[in-house]
Amino acid sequence: MLAPAAALLLALAAGAAPPAFVAVIDPGHGGVQEGAISPRGVRESDLALEIARRVAARLRKMGAKVILTRTGDIAVPMANRAAIANAIRADLFVSIHLNSMPTVEARRVTTGVETYFLSADATDTHASAVAARENADRLAGDPEPDPNDPVGAILSSLEDAASLEGSSRLAYAVHDRLVSSTGALDRGVKQAPFYVLAGARMPAVLVEVGFISNEGEAERLRAKDYQEKVAAALADGIAVFRKETRAARR
């Protein structure tokens, strides 16, 4: 899994021109980790990968070097996902997921997009439930959190206030663009203890691009033109974040 990262480091060491920026795009789940399932049997892992590929293609056109944490239907340990970003000293990490609700009525009526960045404390009970669902999808062999200190590792992974602030700015940049471009219901930018974000030493966010549990939204997310719209919004949000970051450093 680290071969693309190693190739990038070797190229830079050999004097190759550096990319405009380096992004790691993480398609959630994969392999035995199917994620949530739509009413018509579509898997979250499949749609996340389709959208991630489209985001990567758009970022590459902007001059970015992009690494996908998976390029096929394979399982990747959660700890490895942020480790890939750290290994290549990426400028940002974006994990793509699709949301789900637990009850028949909630599935029928709930739609919209949410964007998260790492925190020991969830914004609300729904954010806590989303994090719990995503965190439960660990592979055998993945390190288990200490039951007496479930967020200790997450707190220690927040390198400093600048890292947290960068993640917050990235979250708002991609979320605002996603809402305005797709017309999806704005469910807000939130914080929650996601293990997939823990350990990332750069701005890192998790985007729930829609509710796969809602039949109408799931079918919309299956459509190639809507996937392109989502991908364009995420790529544009990343570009906005990069522009703001460069301006702040001057």
Side-chain angles (χ1 to χ4, degrees), residues 89-121:
R89 297 189 288 276
D91 293 292
L92 53 90
F93 176 91
V94 177
S95 188
I96 297 174
H97 292 254
L98 287 86
N99 224 329
S100 180
M101 294 298 283
T103 67
V104 172
E105 178 61 15
R107 287 170 178 262
R108 186 181 69 82
V109 301
T110 307
T111 64
V113 298
E114 299 173 341
T115 305
Y116 291 88
F117 60 100
L118 188 64
S119 173
D121 299 311

Side-chain angles (χ1 to χ4, degrees), residues 22 27 40 42 65-67 91 106 110 115 137 147 154 174 206:
V22 180
R40 297 190 182 183
V42 179
K65 175 68 179 182
V66 185
I67 301 295
D91 293 292
T110 307
T115 305
D137 199 4
I154 290 175
V174 299
L206 184 147

Side-chain angles (χ1 to χ4, degrees), residues 38-40 42 47 50-51 54 98 107-113 178-179 181-187 209-231:
S38 82
R40 297 190 182 183
V42 179
L47 293 184
E50 286 293 325
I51 294 169
R54 295 174 188 275
L98 287 86
R107 287 170 178 262
R108 186 181 69 82
V109 301
T110 307
T111 64
V113 298
L178 188 57
V179 170
S181 297
T182 65
L185 179 67
D186 182 358
R187 294 178 58 87
V209 299
F211 278 81
I212 196 172
S213 56
N214 178 273
E215 185 170 5
E217 192 152 85
E219 288 303 297
R220 189 159 56 249
L221 285 158
R222 286 184 65 192
K224 304 306 180 186
D225 58 343
Y226 190 77
Q227 290 178 7
E228 283 291 348
K229 188 177 289 188
V230 170

